[in-house]
Amino acid sequence: MSKEKEREPLFSAKNLKLLKDPLGENNPITVQVLGICSALAVTAKLKPAVVMAISVVVVLSVSNVIVSIFRKSVPPRIRIIFQLVVIAMMVILVDQVLKAFAFEVSKQLSVFVGLIITNCIIMGRLEAFALANKPWESFLDGLGNAAGYGLILIIVGFFREFLGSGTIFGYHMMEKIGIYNIGYENNGFMILPPMALITVGIIIWVQRSRNKDLIDKS
Amino acid sequence: MKALRKQIDKIKPHFEKGGKFAIFRSLFDAIEVLIFVPDRVTSRGSHIRDGIDMKRVMITVWIALIPAVLFGIYNIGLQYYQSINVDAGFWQMVWFGFLKFLPLLLVSYIVGLGIEIIFAQIRGHEVNEGYFVTGLLIPLIVPVDVPLWQLALAVVFAVIIGKEVFGGTGMNILNPALVARAFLFFSYPKWMSGDLVWIANLVKGEGVPDTFSGATPLAQAALYEVDSMPSVMQMFIGTIPGSVGETSTIAILLGAAILIYTGVGSWKIIVSVFAGGLGMGLLLNAFAVNPYMEIPAYQHFVMGGFAFGAVFMATDPVSGSQTETGKWIYGLLIGILAILIRVLNPAFPEGMMLAILFMNVFAPLIDYYIVQANIRRRLKRAKSN
């Protein structure tokens, strides 16, 4: 890395791009198709989806910063194991906090908090970005990617809970609208995992028809 | 007819590109082609000219389905009047069944064709005949009392997710009619399974004696009540509760004869599905530990949707296997899986739908290996010479 002549402002256009890109045109789920498994598993209800999103934001942004700080002192041969230790530490911390302060949700999420360790997005960002960039940029990159992941989780969770259980955050929305009186029934299929896949697919479809650049050339 | 042709020719320019009603061009095109045969013929190169086109194939399947439709309509009435213990004349039953069946058919066609036309419009191609058969199949494979809005939703799902996302007619990997049924089955199990939904108005239960059970033979078998099942002859004729068009094996066999005679449906698939089912049935008989596993293997053919699925669903040329050897493997596995799911999995009373959908997914893989094996065989021959 060459030394910079001027100090870059904290929120320069380049840095903002790091934060914004993963939310839309470089979204980890809909464009890179990473981290799908947990997106399918925790989105049957909105609340676990939100908690999962927050957990991933914390884990990814903090581990990105830690890895970035040590990027010059860690020998390349052991970098993977080093990254894993950092991620595992963060995941255990998050898991313990959830167990202490949000036990119910923690039980719903069960193994999926622990499985954040294997979430491809996190390893991917550490390898691809944090190892080659300074801590502040890495922090923004981690925040952006995790937020992009969380955004899709929350959208999918919203539709699955609303159409599948008729509630939003456990609040009986459909009942309040009074739609059951005219014969409406909750769609049991929305709660099953296949519908998460199809919902993500529809989001990808909508995104690509709005942004033609994302369509594969073939 | 000539006057009509003249009239259509007169207004045609309005519907072409740049015309006044250009946005309705696919709708216009669909109607024109429906009334008259399309006037487009290939002009270059050498071709074998034949009258067979997609429309004729679809019409043939449609004709093959008519016996099942007519019997289904009669059976709706028959089952209803039996359930409320009323003696009714033949025409009274048919009329009741017709009134019950018509809304299902209308919802299926109006919603399905509506979406087809919208997609044809957006993508700028003509409306395909693909939905013509699917639209008739869907009301035949649902319980008579399924709420119409649920049916409409299932049709929307089947046409968009089952077909249009893959590129429309001819590109789908799953049979759209079965996608609609699977959607209903998993979304609204209350309306798609149990003992109440197979006979019209039984859910409301008005005038039905307390002792009456609307259970299908499959449900009875699953509960090991083999003795109370209707006789094989009765199930063969089809006077039993079940989805609208699936009950009568005779009507389905009539349709199968038409499909096989005209060559529209592959006899290899039909035969191999039955063979697979028979084999699996015999295997279960040999290791029977409960009354369901003991019922004669051939009896599975007349229960539930086995025959209907084998004749009208598995033979779908788009989602099924394309290679001739592949058709045997594809059909055999459908038969085996259907009976396996039906008898050994208590969560699903009927296995035909899932077996066919499952094998639809694997059909391209089967074809791939058949083609590869053929290539290897011929390469070997070429080398040895």
Side-chain angles (χ1 to χ4, degrees):
Chain A
M1 283 228 169
S2 61
K3 271 192 186 146
E4 286 175 70
K5 285 168 192 117
E6 285 173 65
R7 272 191 80 80
E8 220 183 325
L10 277 184
F11 287 104
S12 64
K14 204 178 96 213
N15 285 354
L16 271 183
K17 205 168 137 53
L18 288 177
L19 195 60
K20 266 190 206 153
D21 261 8
L23 290 178
E25 61 202 69
N26 203 8
N27 190 288
I29 293 187
T30 61
V31 179
Q32 300 171 16
V33 198
L34 294 174
I36 287 286
C37 14
S38 53
L40 305 189
V42 299
T43 49
K45 288 267 185 319
L46 198 47
K47 202 168 161 193
V50 171
V51 173
M52 185 72 179
I54 296 170
S55 310
V56 171
V57 166
V58 173
V59 171
L60 183 52
S61 46
V62 176
S63 14
N64 244 3
V65 171
I66 298 175
V67 170
S68 174
I69 291 171
F70 289 104
R71 71 185 185 278
K72 285 176 186 154
S73 48
V74 176
R77 282 171 66 189
I78 61 157
R79 69 183 197 285
I80 299 278
I81 201 92
F82 169 70
Q83 288 163 15
L84 272 179
V85 170
V86 174
I87 303 169
M89 178 191 79
M90 283 312 298
V91 168
I92 292 169
L93 278 178
V94 167
D95 197 22
Q96 294 301 321
V97 169
L98 282 184
K99 273 185 184 145
F101 297 104
F103 187 63
E104 281 305 309
V105 182
S106 156
K107 262 203 311 201
Q108 277 180 32
L109 286 170
S110 66
V111 295
F112 287 101
V113 177
L115 283 179
I116 295 177
I117 300 175
T118 59
N119 192 320
C120 338
I121 299 171
I122 296 181
M123 268 309 247
R125 288 335 288 173
L126 293 184
E127 271 288 292
F129 198 88
L131 271 181
N133 287 284
K134 284 180 289 180
W136 173 244
E137 277 91 357
S138 299
F139 174 73
L140 288 179
D141 179 78
L143 201 63
N145 274 284
Y149 167 84
L151 183 71
I152 301 297
L153 236 62
I154 290 167
I155 295 174
V156 175
F158 171 79
F159 282 110
R160 285 184 73 194
E161 181 174 349
F162 188 54
L163 298 175
S165 318
T167 56
I168 295 173
F169 280 117
Y171 178 75
H172 292 274
M173 201 64 192
M174 286 285 192
E175 208 176 303
K176 280 283 175 304
I177 304 174
I179 198 163
Y180 290 125
N181 300 333
I182 55 167
Y184 177 82
E185 274 170 55
N186 288 327
N187 187 324
F189 200 17
M190 287 306 279
I191 306 179
L192 301 175
M195 258 338 233
L197 197 65
I198 291 169
T199 316
V200 171
I202 293 173
I203 294 175
I204 293 177
W205 187 14
V206 171
Q207 192 187 14
R208 293 196 178 188
S209 49
R210 288 168 61 102
N211 186 352
K212 301 281 182 203
D213 296 341
L214 295 175
I215 298 172
D216 297 336
K217 291 288 176 293
S218 59
Chain B
M1 226 36 189
K2 249 191 188 144
L4 192 62
R5 178 79 252 181
K6 249 189 204 155
Q7 202 59 36
I8 283 183
D9 280 340
K10 212 175 99 192
I11 59 169
K12 197 170 180 175
H14 293 309
F15 288 96
E16 265 151 19
K17 240 188 194 127
K20 244 191 293 183
F21 304 114
I23 46 166
F24 296 118
R25 67 175 181 281
S26 43
L27 185 63
F28 176 80
D29 188 73
I31 294 170
E32 188 200 356
V33 172
L34 197 73
I35 304 172
F36 300 101
V37 181
D39 51 1
R40 290 176 289 268
V41 287
T42 45
S43 51
R44 275 201 269 169
S46 51
H47 290 278
I48 298 171
R49 300 240 167 150
D50 189 5
I52 191 99
D53 62 351
M54 196 140 92
K55 211 172 328 262
R56 187 159 301 179
V57 171
M58 295 295 174
I59 292 270
T60 314
V61 182
W62 224 79
I63 292 169
L65 276 166
I66 283 177
V69 173
L70 293 180
F71 191 89
I73 288 173
Y74 160 71
N75 195 39
I76 295 172
L78 178 75
Q79 294 297 329
Y80 171 66
Y81 285 113
Q82 268 179 10
S83 75
I84 57 170
N85 222 347
V86 168
D87 278 327
F90 175 76
W91 290 109
Q92 202 180 347
M93 290 176 185
V94 170
W95 182 241
F96 179 85
F98 179 72
L99 288 184
K100 277 279 169 192
F101 183 69
L102 193 64
L104 298 178
L105 192 70
L106 285 180
V107 166
S108 166
Y109 269 115
I110 292 171
V111 175
L113 286 178
I115 296 171
E116 288 262 355
I117 289 171
I118 292 169
F119 267 88
Q121 198 67 58
I122 294 172
R123 295 186 170 160
H125 57 59
E126 62 223 63
V127 178
N128 257 320
E129 295 90 341
Y131 192 73
F132 198 53
V133 168
T134 312
L136 183 59
L137 282 172
I138 290 176
L140 287 179
I141 54 175
V142 294
V144 54
D145 254 354
V146 66
L148 293 177
W149 69 269
Q150 290 178 4
L151 186 69
L153 206 61
V155 170
V156 171
F157 183 83
V159 175
I160 294 181
I161 302 296
K163 199 159 89 178
E164 291 299 343
V165 290
F166 296 107
T169 305
M171 315 287 260
N172 44 308
I173 49 172
L174 299 172
N175 186 326
L178 281 179
V179 172
R181 192 180 199 279
F183 179 84
L184 281 174
F185 183 82
F186 288 109
S187 298
Y188 308 105
K190 204 180 103 195
W191 292 99
M192 288 297 286
S193 49
D195 294 348
L196 293 175
V197 296
W198 309 105
I199 298 173
N201 298 345
L202 193 59
V203 178
K204 293 182 204 135
E206 280 162 18
V208 180
D210 286 345
T211 49
F212 184 83
S213 157
T216 60
L218 280 174
Q220 289 169 334
L223 292 171
Y224 303 155
E225 293 166 353
V226 180
D227 299 332
S228 57
M229 270 164 59
S231 69
V232 175
M233 201 56 207
Q234 206 181 340
M235 291 194 278
F236 185 64
I237 295 169
T239 53
I240 49 170
S243 296
V244 176
E246 68 170 17
T247 56
S248 170
T249 315
I250 290 188
I252 293 163
L253 286 181
L254 271 177
I258 296 174
L259 286 185
I260 292 173
Y261 177 73
T262 54
V264 167
S266 160
W267 65 270
K268 289 175 186 167
I269 293 180
I270 299 176
V271 169
S272 57
V273 172
F274 278 104
L278 191 69
M280 193 64 214
L282 290 173
L283 192 71
L284 289 172
N285 283 349
F287 296 97
V289 291
N290 63 43
Y292 199 173
M293 291 168 83
E294 273 164 12
I295 66 169
Y298 66 85
Q299 204 173 324
H300 281 295
F301 297 165
V302 294
M303 290 161 62
F306 191 91
F308 194 88
V311 173
F312 294 110
M313 296 294 182
T315 53
D316 174 6
V318 176
S319 55
S321 246
Q322 312 280 330
T323 53
E324 295 304 311
T325 325
K327 283 176 183 167
W328 287 107
I329 303 172
Y330 167 80
L332 275 174
L333 284 171
I334 288 178
I336 293 172
L337 282 172
I339 303 299
L340 191 73
I341 298 171
R342 187 187 268 191
V343 179
L344 295 183
N345 189 337
F348 300 114
E350 172 60 303
M352 204 56 189
M353 169 183 82
L354 296 169
I356 297 175
L357 284 175
F358 190 70
M359 287 318 294
N360 279 169
V361 175
F362 280 97
L365 186 74
I366 298 173
D367 284 341
Y368 173 80
Y369 279 110
I370 298 290
V371 171
Q372 288 301 314
N374 200 23
I375 291 172
R376 261 199 309 279
R377 193 168 51 82
R378 298 183 73 158
L379 270 179
K380 219 168 163 185
R381 196 167 61 200
K383 267 180 204 152
S384 65
N385 283 347

PDB file of all heavy atoms in Angstrom, chain B residues 19-34:
ATOM      1  N   GLY B  19     -50.671   0.824 -34.978  1.00  0.00           N
ATOM      2  CA  GLY B  19     -52.097   1.025 -35.146  1.00  0.00           C
ATOM      3  C   GLY B  19     -52.728   1.615 -33.890  1.00  0.00           C
ATOM      4  O   GLY B  19     -52.069   1.802 -32.868  1.00  0.00           O
ATOM      5  N   LYS B  20     -54.023   1.887 -34.014  1.00  0.00           N
ATOM      6  CA  LYS B  20     -54.734   2.532 -32.912  1.00  0.00           C
ATOM      7  C   LYS B  20     -54.736   1.669 -31.643  1.00  0.00           C
ATOM      8  O   LYS B  20     -54.539   2.137 -30.544  1.00  0.00           O
ATOM      9  CB  LYS B  20     -56.176   2.796 -33.353  1.00  0.00           C
ATOM     10  CG  LYS B  20     -56.501   4.279 -33.404  1.00  0.00           C
ATOM     11  CD  LYS B  20     -57.996   4.498 -33.583  1.00  0.00           C
ATOM     12  CE  LYS B  20     -58.474   4.019 -34.953  1.00  0.00           C
ATOM     13  NZ  LYS B  20     -59.914   4.273 -35.194  1.00  0.00           N
ATOM     14  N   PHE B  21     -55.008   0.374 -31.830  1.00  0.00           N
ATOM     15  CA  PHE B  21     -55.150  -0.514 -30.674  1.00  0.00           C
ATOM     16  C   PHE B  21     -53.965  -1.461 -30.549  1.00  0.00           C
ATOM     17  O   PHE B  21     -54.125  -2.621 -30.196  1.00  0.00           O
ATOM     18  CB  PHE B  21     -56.434  -1.338 -30.793  1.00  0.00           C
ATOM     19  CG  PHE B  21     -57.653  -0.495 -30.952  1.00  0.00           C
ATOM     20  CD1 PHE B  21     -58.381  -0.523 -32.135  1.00  0.00           C
ATOM     21  CD2 PHE B  21     -58.057   0.337 -29.928  1.00  0.00           C
ATOM     22  CE1 PHE B  21     -59.498   0.262 -32.287  1.00  0.00           C
ATOM     23  CE2 PHE B  21     -59.188   1.124 -30.079  1.00  0.00           C
ATOM     24  CZ  PHE B  21     -59.913   1.096 -31.261  1.00  0.00           C
ATOM     25  N   ALA B  22     -52.785  -0.952 -30.856  1.00  0.00           N
ATOM     26  CA  ALA B  22     -51.615  -1.833 -30.903  1.00  0.00           C
ATOM     27  C   ALA B  22     -51.404  -2.556 -29.575  1.00  0.00           C
ATOM     28  O   ALA B  22     -50.867  -3.663 -29.546  1.00  0.00           O
ATOM     29  CB  ALA B  22     -50.371  -1.042 -31.271  1.00  0.00           C
ATOM     30  N   ILE B  23     -51.833  -1.950 -28.463  1.00  0.00           N
ATOM     31  CA  ILE B  23     -51.586  -2.614 -27.179  1.00  0.00           C
ATOM     32  C   ILE B  23     -52.404  -3.897 -27.029  1.00  0.00           C
ATOM     33  O   ILE B  23     -52.077  -4.737 -26.219  1.00  0.00           O
ATOM     34  CB  ILE B  23     -51.869  -1.680 -25.974  1.00  0.00           C
ATOM     35  CG1 ILE B  23     -53.190  -0.965 -26.150  1.00  0.00           C
ATOM     36  CG2 ILE B  23     -50.738  -0.711 -25.739  1.00  0.00           C
ATOM     37  CD1 ILE B  23     -53.678  -0.303 -24.894  1.00  0.00           C
ATOM     38  N   PHE B  24     -53.460  -4.020 -27.828  1.00  0.00           N
ATOM     39  CA  PHE B  24     -54.265  -5.251 -27.708  1.00  0.00           C
ATOM     40  C   PHE B  24     -53.886  -6.276 -28.768  1.00  0.00           C
ATOM     41  O   PHE B  24     -54.639  -7.184 -29.047  1.00  0.00           O
ATOM     42  CB  PHE B  24     -55.752  -4.922 -27.852  1.00  0.00           C
ATOM     43  CG  PHE B  24     -56.263  -4.049 -26.764  1.00  0.00           C
ATOM     44  CD1 PHE B  24     -56.774  -2.794 -27.032  1.00  0.00           C
ATOM     45  CD2 PHE B  24     -56.226  -4.482 -25.453  1.00  0.00           C
ATOM     46  CE1 PHE B  24     -57.236  -1.989 -26.015  1.00  0.00           C
ATOM     47  CE2 PHE B  24     -56.696  -3.683 -24.440  1.00  0.00           C
ATOM     48  CZ  PHE B  24     -57.198  -2.424 -24.721  1.00  0.00           C
ATOM     49  N   ARG B  25     -52.683  -6.137 -29.372  1.00  0.00           N
ATOM     50  CA  ARG B  25     -52.431  -6.971 -30.545  1.00  0.00           C
ATOM     51  C   ARG B  25     -52.381  -8.470 -30.218  1.00  0.00           C
ATOM     52  O   ARG B  25     -52.855  -9.279 -30.999  1.00  0.00           O
ATOM     53  CB  ARG B  25     -51.174  -6.529 -31.289  1.00  0.00           C
ATOM     54  CG  ARG B  25     -49.882  -6.737 -30.541  1.00  0.00           C
ATOM     55  CD  ARG B  25     -48.702  -6.382 -31.436  1.00  0.00           C
ATOM     56  NE  ARG B  25     -47.474  -6.605 -30.701  1.00  0.00           N
ATOM     57  CZ  ARG B  25     -46.987  -5.760 -29.795  1.00  0.00           C
ATOM     58  NH1 ARG B  25     -47.623  -4.641 -29.536  1.00  0.00           N
ATOM     59  NH2 ARG B  25     -45.873  -6.031 -29.148  1.00  0.00           N
ATOM     60  N   SER B  26     -51.857  -8.824 -29.031  1.00  0.00           N
ATOM     61  CA  SER B  26     -51.792 -10.264 -28.770  1.00  0.00           C
ATOM     62  C   SER B  26     -53.177 -10.843 -28.518  1.00  0.00           C
ATOM     63  O   SER B  26     -53.453 -11.982 -28.872  1.00  0.00           O
ATOM     64  CB  SER B  26     -50.850 -10.568 -27.613  1.00  0.00           C
ATOM     65  OG  SER B  26     -51.015  -9.690 -26.572  1.00  0.00           O
ATOM     66  N   LEU B  27     -54.055 -10.050 -27.922  1.00  0.00           N
ATOM     67  CA  LEU B  27     -55.429 -10.511 -27.711  1.00  0.00           C
ATOM     68  C   LEU B  27     -56.113 -10.707 -29.061  1.00  0.00           C
ATOM     69  O   LEU B  27     -56.755 -11.720 -29.323  1.00  0.00           O
ATOM     70  CB  LEU B  27     -56.180  -9.476 -26.867  1.00  0.00           C
ATOM     71  CG  LEU B  27     -57.595  -9.850 -26.450  1.00  0.00           C
ATOM     72  CD1 LEU B  27     -57.539 -11.076 -25.550  1.00  0.00           C
ATOM     73  CD2 LEU B  27     -58.261  -8.708 -25.742  1.00  0.00           C
ATOM     74  N   PHE B  28     -55.918  -9.730 -29.955  1.00  0.00           N
ATOM     75  CA  PHE B  28     -56.520  -9.810 -31.284  1.00  0.00           C
ATOM     76  C   PHE B  28     -56.003 -11.023 -32.032  1.00  0.00           C
ATOM     77  O   PHE B  28     -56.756 -11.794 -32.619  1.00  0.00           O
ATOM     78  CB  PHE B  28     -56.188  -8.527 -32.065  1.00  0.00           C
ATOM     79  CG  PHE B  28     -56.671  -8.547 -33.481  1.00  0.00           C
ATOM     80  CD1 PHE B  28     -57.988  -8.283 -33.777  1.00  0.00           C
ATOM     81  CD2 PHE B  28     -55.795  -8.860 -34.511  1.00  0.00           C
ATOM     82  CE1 PHE B  28     -58.436  -8.317 -35.082  1.00  0.00           C
ATOM     83  CE2 PHE B  28     -56.240  -8.897 -35.828  1.00  0.00           C
ATOM     84  CZ  PHE B  28     -57.562  -8.622 -36.111  1.00  0.00           C
ATOM     85  N   ASP B  29     -54.689 -11.175 -31.954  1.00  0.00           N
ATOM     86  CA  ASP B  29     -54.048 -12.300 -32.642  1.00  0.00           C
ATOM     87  C   ASP B  29     -54.606 -13.628 -32.148  1.00  0.00           C
ATOM     88  O   ASP B  29     -54.918 -14.516 -32.937  1.00  0.00           O
ATOM     89  CB  ASP B  29     -52.535 -12.230 -32.402  1.00  0.00           C
ATOM     90  CG  ASP B  29     -51.785 -13.235 -33.245  1.00  0.00           C
ATOM     91  OD1 ASP B  29     -51.687 -12.996 -34.453  1.00  0.00           O
ATOM     92  OD2 ASP B  29     -51.331 -14.242 -32.690  1.00  0.00           O
ATOM     93  N   ALA B  30     -54.762 -13.722 -30.832  1.00  0.00           N
ATOM     94  CA  ALA B  30     -55.263 -14.969 -30.251  1.00  0.00           C
ATOM     95  C   ALA B  30     -56.656 -15.282 -30.773  1.00  0.00           C
ATOM     96  O   ALA B  30     -56.962 -16.418 -31.132  1.00  0.00           O
ATOM     97  CB  ALA B  30     -55.280 -14.861 -28.732  1.00  0.00           C
ATOM     98  N   ILE B  31     -57.500 -14.241 -30.844  1.00  0.00           N
ATOM     99  CA  ILE B  31     -58.873 -14.474 -31.284  1.00  0.00           C
ATOM    100  C   ILE B  31     -58.898 -14.841 -32.764  1.00  0.00           C
ATOM    101  O   ILE B  31     -59.592 -15.769 -33.177  1.00  0.00           O
ATOM    102  CB  ILE B  31     -59.739 -13.225 -31.008  1.00  0.00           C
ATOM    103  CG1 ILE B  31     -59.857 -13.030 -29.494  1.00  0.00           C
ATOM    104  CG2 ILE B  31     -61.105 -13.361 -31.636  1.00  0.00           C
ATOM    105  CD1 ILE B  31     -60.471 -11.731 -29.090  1.00  0.00           C
ATOM    106  N   GLU B  32     -58.082 -14.132 -33.555  1.00  0.00           N
ATOM    107  CA  GLU B  32     -58.056 -14.417 -34.993  1.00  0.00           C
ATOM    108  C   GLU B  32     -57.620 -15.852 -35.256  1.00  0.00           C
ATOM    109  O   GLU B  32     -58.230 -16.574 -36.041  1.00  0.00           O
ATOM    110  CB  GLU B  32     -57.103 -13.437 -35.687  1.00  0.00           C
ATOM    111  CG  GLU B  32     -57.188 -13.555 -37.206  1.00  0.00           C
ATOM    112  CD  GLU B  32     -55.982 -12.980 -37.892  1.00  0.00           C
ATOM    113  OE1 GLU B  32     -55.114 -12.416 -37.215  1.00  0.00           O
ATOM    114  OE2 GLU B  32     -55.907 -13.118 -39.120  1.00  0.00           O
ATOM    115  N   VAL B  33     -56.549 -16.251 -34.548  1.00  0.00           N
ATOM    116  CA  VAL B  33     -56.023 -17.593 -34.772  1.00  0.00           C
ATOM    117  C   VAL B  33     -56.998 -18.657 -34.270  1.00  0.00           C
ATOM    118  O   VAL B  33     -57.087 -19.749 -34.810  1.00  0.00           O
ATOM    119  CB  VAL B  33     -54.647 -17.720 -34.087  1.00  0.00           C
ATOM    120  CG1 VAL B  33     -54.159 -19.145 -34.124  1.00  0.00           C
ATOM    121  CG2 VAL B  33     -53.654 -16.820 -34.772  1.00  0.00           C
ATOM    122  N   LEU B  34     -57.750 -18.296 -33.247  1.00  0.00           N
ATOM    123  CA  LEU B  34     -58.718 -19.239 -32.687  1.00  0.00           C
ATOM    124  C   LEU B  34     -59.847 -19.496 -33.681  1.00  0.00           C
ATOM    125  O   LEU B  34     -60.302 -20.620 -33.861  1.00  0.00           O
ATOM    126  CB  LEU B  34     -59.277 -18.681 -31.378  1.00  0.00           C
ATOM    127  CG  LEU B  34     -59.977 -19.686 -30.491  1.00  0.00           C
ATOM    128  CD1 LEU B  34     -58.956 -20.599 -29.850  1.00  0.00           C
ATOM    129  CD2 LEU B  34     -60.804 -18.987 -29.427  1.00  0.00           C
TER     130      LEU B  34
END
